Amino acid sequence: MTTQTDPGAAARKRNFVISIVSTIVFGALLVWILHKGLDTAAIQKFLENCGPLAPVLFIAISVFSSYVPIVPMGSMGSIGIVLFGPVMAFFYNYATSVINCTLGFWLAKRYGDRMILNIASPKTYARYRHWVQTTKHFTLVFTICMFLPVSPDIILCMLAGLNGMSWGRFLAIILVSRPVSSWVYSTGLLKGFEWILKTLHLKQ
């Protein structure tokens, strides 16, 4: 009965459990590592030995985590800064964001409503869908939201796909807007972690 009325219920329940477990594990691991101290030289040597595989693997995990949250949402952006430094991490996080948005847009165009129901409840989806159908300025609002670091970007990109937005317009908006949101979100999370650790006296 549940799968008939809400086909995405099982996927959302699975993702919720994964998200809770990964957040607890990730938080405990992060506190332990930073409390013990990071061996930045060893990390840099390891990344150098990995060569091009390191950023490719980082981007792949980041994209996968956006749909199956094996790493807490948004954390990969901050991890990228720690691993690769702010400049290279910016490009990797930007690439991740563009891939995520493009994938969501394509999935919605290809498979329709059921893809959104895997990450949003029917009630939430109905609210967004009603807004899309009634607003006269969807493209403008969509563009503004893509600049914001806390907008539900994947859901909005799926809605844009369902709303009939062209590939050219969509890609133009994404390529221009995502650098801003990616930078603000990842650096903001990193600063937040540092503040928490200082507050708990785990970092000097």
Side-chain angles (χ1 to χ4, degrees):
M1 180 68 69
T2 301
T3 56
Q4 293 177 352
T5 58
D6 185 0
R12 294 198 308 275
K13 182 178 180 180
R14 176 205 64 202
N15 288 346
F16 177 76
V17 172
I18 294 174
S19 178
I20 294 298
V21 173
S22 65
T23 298
I24 294 173
V25 173
F26 178 81
L29 183 63
L30 181 65
V31 170
W32 181 81
I33 290 176
L34 292 178
H35 180 60
K36 292 293 184 180
L38 285 173
D39 188 348
T40 55
I43 293 175
Q44 291 301 321
K45 185 176 181 180
F46 173 76
L47 293 176
E48 289 174 1
N49 291 334
C50 289
L53 180 62
V56 170
L57 185 61
F58 171 78
I59 292 173
I61 294 174
S62 299
V63 172
F64 186 76
S65 295
S66 298
Y67 292 88
V68 181
I70 57 173
V71 178
M73 184 177 62
S75 299
M76 289 301 294
S78 298
I79 292 173
I81 295 177
V82 173
L83 294 178
F84 303 104
V87 176
M88 295 310 300
F90 166 74
F91 290 103
Y92 300 150
N93 291 332
Y94 174 42
T96 298
S97 183
V98 171
I99 293 172
N100 278 336
C101 291
T102 304
L103 182 59
F105 185 77
W106 175 79
L107 287 172
K109 279 187 172 293
R110 178 69 176 81
Y111 297 104
D113 296 9
R114 59 178 176 158
M115 295 308 303
I116 299 182
L117 292 173
N118 284 335
I119 59 177
S121 68
K123 183 178 180 180
T124 300
Y125 170 60
R127 185 168 65 250
Y128 278 114
R129 189 65 172 160
H130 175 74
W131 166 68
V132 170
Q133 292 173 341
T134 56
T135 184
K136 296 181 180 179
H137 307 287
F138 174 75
T139 299
L140 175 61
V141 176
F142 175 76
T143 302
I144 294 173
C145 288
M146 288 299 99
F147 276 97
L148 301 177
V150 293
S151 64
D153 50 355
I154 294 179
I155 293 179
L156 290 173
C157 290
M158 288 184 172
L159 288 172
L162 293 176
N163 198 42
M165 182 179 291
S166 69
W167 273 103
R169 177 173 294 183
F170 172 79
L171 290 175
I173 295 171
I174 295 303
L175 292 173
V176 171
S177 64
R178 299 320 288 171
V180 178
S181 59
S182 298
W183 180 269
V184 173
Y185 197 42
S186 57
T187 54
L189 281 175
L190 187 61
K191 294 297 183 183
F193 281 134
E194 290 177 350
W195 179 83
I196 292 173
L197 292 171
K198 288 180 180 179
T199 302
L200 297 176
H201 304 292
L202 296 175
K203 184 178 181 182
Q204 298 300 323

